[in-house]
Structures are given as C-alpha cells and as structure tokens.
Amino acid sequence: MTHIIFDFTDLPSFFFYMLFIVLFSDKPDCGEIRASKLQAHIDWLEKNKKFIPVGGSLRQELGETPKGGLWIVNADSKDQIDTLIKTDPFFIAGLRQSYEILHWSKANAERMVLI
C-alpha cells in the first residue's frame, strides 16, 4: 500500500483562512464614479490578492453598467474584511450602496481551482 503524505508548508498562507463571499450593491446612476476609480480599484485588488483571489462586477446583461460586485475572500474574520473594504477606492469614492459579508462553505473543499 502506498501512503501519501501531504506537506502543507509550501502552500500559500491564504489556504488556511476562512472563506467568505462579499456581495456589493452600487448606488444607482454612479457609473461615472466606477469609471473614474476603476484602475485604482483594480490596482488595489492586485495589492490585496492574498485576501481577495477572485473578484468582479455584477450586471443584469453584458455591456450594461455594473450594479455591484462579488469577491471571494480568504480572511480571519468578518471584521478583517470590513476593515479591508473601507480601504477600497470604490468604497472611499462613495460607489457602494451596501455590502454583505457571508461565510462560504465551498463544496469539494479539497479541490482547488483557478478561475
């Protein structure tokens, strides 16, 4: 019988945090704020990719102005995420109407995928 030994020392640290989903709703008619802060927001997401490996905008139809966004987040707590959100250029500029931080229980937790 062959035994497989898992060595977790080489895994990125984000594999050991809890998973969350953050759902954002944007204020209506604020597309100009989104457009003007988009590059700063993308740069900020890149800087924080350890915590937010996946994020993106949400819209009713392709080509429409986004109505909000969704992040998959690796964090220690909801408080840590709340603090992080308040440093996002979109939040600082007043784009966000609301957000909800939800614990996420990923199906097939052992399966890691790239999106």
Side-chain angles (χ1 to χ4, degrees):
M1 175 187 288
T2 302
H3 296 291
I4 299 172
I5 298 172
F6 293 99
D7 179 7
F8 294 107
T9 57
D10 292 332
L11 287 175
S13 61
F14 64 75
F15 284 108
F16 302 104
Y17 291 106
M18 289 184 284
L19 288 173
F20 297 86
I21 296 293
V22 182
L23 292 170
F24 295 94
S25 293
D26 293 350
K27 293 177 182 171
D29 303 318
C30 285
E32 68 282 348
I33 294 174
R34 177 179 279 279
S36 70
K37 298 298 179 184
L38 182 59
Q39 190 57 56
H41 172 72
I42 289 171
D43 294 344
W44 180 90
L45 285 170
E46 182 62 25
K47 178 181 155 192
N48 289 287
K49 65 185 175 185
K50 174 182 175 183
F51 300 105
I52 309 164
V54 178
S57 59
L58 299 171
R59 51 184 50 83
Q60 287 293 113
E61 299 291 336
L62 289 176
E64 288 185 0
T65 300
K67 295 182 171 281
L70 178 142
W71 296 348
I72 296 175
V73 182
N74 298 297
D76 290 325
S77 67
K78 287 184 174 185
D79 287 340
Q80 183 183 33
I81 297 168
D82 193 59
T83 300
L84 187 64
I85 288 169
K86 291 175 181 163
T87 68
D88 177 5
F90 278 175
F91 184 87
I92 293 168
L95 176 64
R96 303 303 193 189
Q97 180 172 320
S98 64
Y99 61 91
E100 185 175 16
I101 303 169
L102 304 167
H103 284 274
W104 183 38
S105 299
K106 181 182 171 293
N108 301 330
E110 71 283 352
R111 183 174 12 147
M112 299 305 294
V113 297
L114 296 175
I115 298 175

